[in-house]
Amino acid sequence: VTLVLSGAAGIGKTRLAAEVAAAAHAGGARVLVGRCDREPMVPYQPVIEALHGVGGDVLADLTGTRARPGEAGAGHRWLLFESVAECLRGLAEGLPLVLAVDDLQWADEGTAALLRHLARHLDGAPVLLLLTTRAATPVPGARHVALGGLDDDAARAVVADLGGGAVAPDVVVARAEGNPLFLRSLTAHL
């Protein structure tokens, strides 16, 4: 199953993904986490990050530190992607697996292609591919959830929980426009 959480910066995508991952972990699932950076250091960086310590040979394949005979050309990429899928299937034997990748909007083309491949080729495996992105990023076969802002009542409750009594809550709510991160920042600084 692939789930894509999308929405504006600060809307709560990362927090929701972390809550889903924590609940899955508490329920016995293995959770692997990676994050896309605006300027990745290496191709496939979030997947390498997630598999660090558990990925074995597939990590060497992704980082290019292990070359296999006959793996040149267009077929190499498919074989590489399949080795990652097989690694994830293996890690999911006996217990479910969550692979969470944050900030998909910054993924390099190779990472985006790998994640699309995984979304298509992990059907039937007890794997949740959990992706967050600011933009509506199409991922074939994924369930997409677009997160919106909090309504005014929920925003006021957040301000009250944060101890925003020194500030007029309606001012904070109006300026934040339902964005939880903005609510926290404005409450802390006003």
Side-chain angles (χ1 to χ4, degrees), residues 63-91:
T63 59
T65 58
R66 181 175 80 122
R68 289 194 251 173
E71 286 190 348
H76 171 68
R77 191 174 194 185
W78 192 87
L79 290 171
L80 176 64
F81 290 3
E82 271 302 296
S83 71
V84 174
E86 189 58 36
C87 174
L88 294 174
R89 282 187 210 98
L91 289 171

Side-chain angles (χ1 to χ4, degrees), residues 106-119:
W106 292 326
D108 61 272
E109 178 49 38
T111 297
L114 172 56
L115 293 171
R116 286 190 303 269
H117 180 89
L118 295 175

Side-chain angles (χ1 to χ4, degrees), residues 16-72:
L16 180 57
E19 293 291 333
V20 168
H25 185 263
R30 179 187 309 237
V31 176
L32 307 175
V33 178
R35 180 187 192 109
C36 299
D37 290 325
R38 287 182 191 188
E39 298 178 21
M41 303 282 278
V42 295
Y44 315 116
Q45 182 174 322
V47 178
I48 292 168
E49 194 176 294
L51 291 174
H52 185 75
V54 296
D57 287 344
V58 77
L59 269 180
D61 292 341
L62 283 170
T63 59
T65 58
R66 181 175 80 122
R68 289 194 251 173
E71 286 190 348

Side-chain angles (χ1 to χ4, degrees), residues 163-182:
V167 205
D170 289 334
V171 172
V172 173
V173 168
R175 287 189 182 168
E177 298 178 345
N179 186 302
L181 179 64
F182 297 165

